[in-house]
Amino acid sequence: MNRSLTLGADVGGTYVKYALGDDGEPGRWTGEVASDPASPAITLGRLAARIAELLPPGGRVGAAGLACAGIVDVEAGRLGRAPNLPGWEGADLAGQLRAAFPDAAIALSNDVNAALAGEARFGAGRGGRDLVMLALGTGVGGAVMIEGRLLVGHRFGAGEVGHMILDPVGPLCGCGNRGCLEAYAGSRGLLAAARRRAAAPDGSPGLRALVAARGETLTTRDLADLAARDPDAAALFREAGERLGQAVGNLLNVLDPDLVIIGGGVAAAGELLLGPCRVTAAAIVLCEAARATPIVPAQLGSAAAALGAAHLAAARLAGGTRETP
Ligand SMILES: [Zn+2]
């Protein structure tokens, strides 16, 4: 028996999450191996060794997709700027992936693009062809799908929704500009806002106590838990949600998608964030029918990018090409 399986891998600074399975069910085997931020060859070697242990008798990897944070040149198969993987910058990802899985059709993608591909095929975006996804993690990533195709841009820099500037004199963003969406709705920005609020003379006692108790270990989950009984904590999510809505409203005016998917750890705050987001977005949208565009939570969690990478590779195999996209 020769069973062709599909692999998807999502490379982060600490772990590579993988999903292996048949085309329709790429999450049959999932797990993670440690990534080596200095070496793609060592990392992909580790991944290949793990996958070799998992393959059923007669099974082989027929399609392998790799997702990476950073600018991924899907034509040349190279990784550009990659802050979480400094040793990987400029790496020949296609060549490394091909060396690790020589029999496989391969596909490369940016991690948020892969997450959107995953949500589109298996999660919150099923059935949609025009989709926008925002991933609210430490920073904010974005991805856009138009007529079923991921938008990568001419220089592979499209979808940087996190750096849409919402207020040119707003808080400083990690990118060096001010008032980017990321500075409000990424966890780094939200936690900074919480600390500023706690330090204000009229900051609520509850928020002040939480910030003092957690110190550097404070998380947006701590803030979301407090928000149920503390007006200052609730206001932090309302303000972040309104900023998110400002960005989403702008995107709805430009792209008019089927729906907008909000993922990432900060999105676990749910309606605290999405409620104000919907109200603000609707107020910005010009097209009356588009005001009701669904703005929904992601469904696949941290598995989305690995599942999406697998799907992109399977689609490449089905398309009859073994080359880099
Ligand atoms: Zn920025």
Side-chain angles (χ1 to χ4, degrees):
M1 192 183 79
N2 188 346
R3 181 177 168 196
S4 174
L5 296 168
T6 299
L7 169 69
D10 171 22
V11 183
T14 314
Y15 292 106
V16 180
K17 294 196 180 75
Y18 60 79
L20 176 71
D22 296 302
D23 287 359
E25 192 208 351
R28 171 79 177 78
W29 294 276
T30 59
E32 55 197 31
V33 296
S35 52
D36 184 332
S39 170
I42 291 173
T43 305
L44 293 178
R46 262 180 214 152
L47 177 65
R50 172 69 62 83
I51 297 306
E53 292 168 12
L54 292 173
L55 284 173
R60 64 183 185 86
V61 176
L66 189 71
C68 267
I71 306 281
V72 178
D73 178 339
V74 296
E75 273 169 24
R78 285 187 182 277
L79 184 64
R81 201 177 70 84
N84 292 334
L85 296 162
W88 292 49
E89 284 190 11
D92 173 15
L93 286 186
Q96 300 277 2
L97 187 58
R98 211 172 268 127
F101 302 99
D103 301 328
I106 64 168
L108 302 176
S109 61
N110 163 271
D111 61 343
V112 188
N113 277 342
L116 175 54
E119 291 287 346
R121 175 70 178 79
F122 305 108
R126 262 172 300 178
R129 292 187 48 82
D130 296 303
L131 302 168
V132 172
M133 180 163 179
L134 294 180
L136 314 179
T138 309
V140 173
V144 175
M145 179 179 281
I146 295 172
E147 293 177 0
R149 293 176 64 92
L150 290 165
L151 181 74
V152 294
H154 276 285
R155 295 157 200 85
F156 313 103
E160 291 289 357
V161 179
H163 302 283
M164 180 187 285
I165 293 177
L166 303 175
D167 179 357
V169 293
L172 195 62
C173 178
C175 75
N177 288 320
R178 285 191 173 275
C180 296
L181 171 62
E182 174 168 312
Y184 298 101
S187 70
R188 200 192 292 118
L190 192 54
L191 294 172
R195 294 191 174 101
R196 283 196 301 273
R197 186 72 200 128
D202 59 344
S204 77
L207 183 61
R208 212 175 289 169
L210 177 70
V211 167
R214 292 284 195 271
E216 285 306 304
T217 65
L218 182 70
T219 64
T220 56
R221 195 198 174 111
D222 295 332
L223 293 173
D225 290 343
L226 181 65
R229 55 182 196 281
D230 183 281
D232 269 9
L236 287 167
F237 285 98
R238 187 170 63 245
E239 285 157 19
E242 286 168 356
R243 290 298 185 175
L244 182 62
Q246 202 183 345
V248 169
N250 282 313
L251 290 165
L252 293 178
N253 276 336
V254 175
L255 298 166
D256 187 16
D258 296 309
L259 83 166
V260 177
I261 302 167
I262 310 291
V266 179
E271 289 305 305
L272 279 173
L273 198 68
L274 293 187
C277 169
R278 291 189 190 104
V279 172
T280 303
I284 291 172
V285 175
L286 297 179
C287 169
E288 208 165 315
R291 279 181 205 145
T293 306
I295 301 170
V296 302
Q299 289 178 356
L300 302 179
S302 63
L307 294 172
H311 172 60
L312 290 170
R316 185 141 296 275
L317 181 61
T321 168
R322 293 184 163 263
E323 293 310 303
T324 312

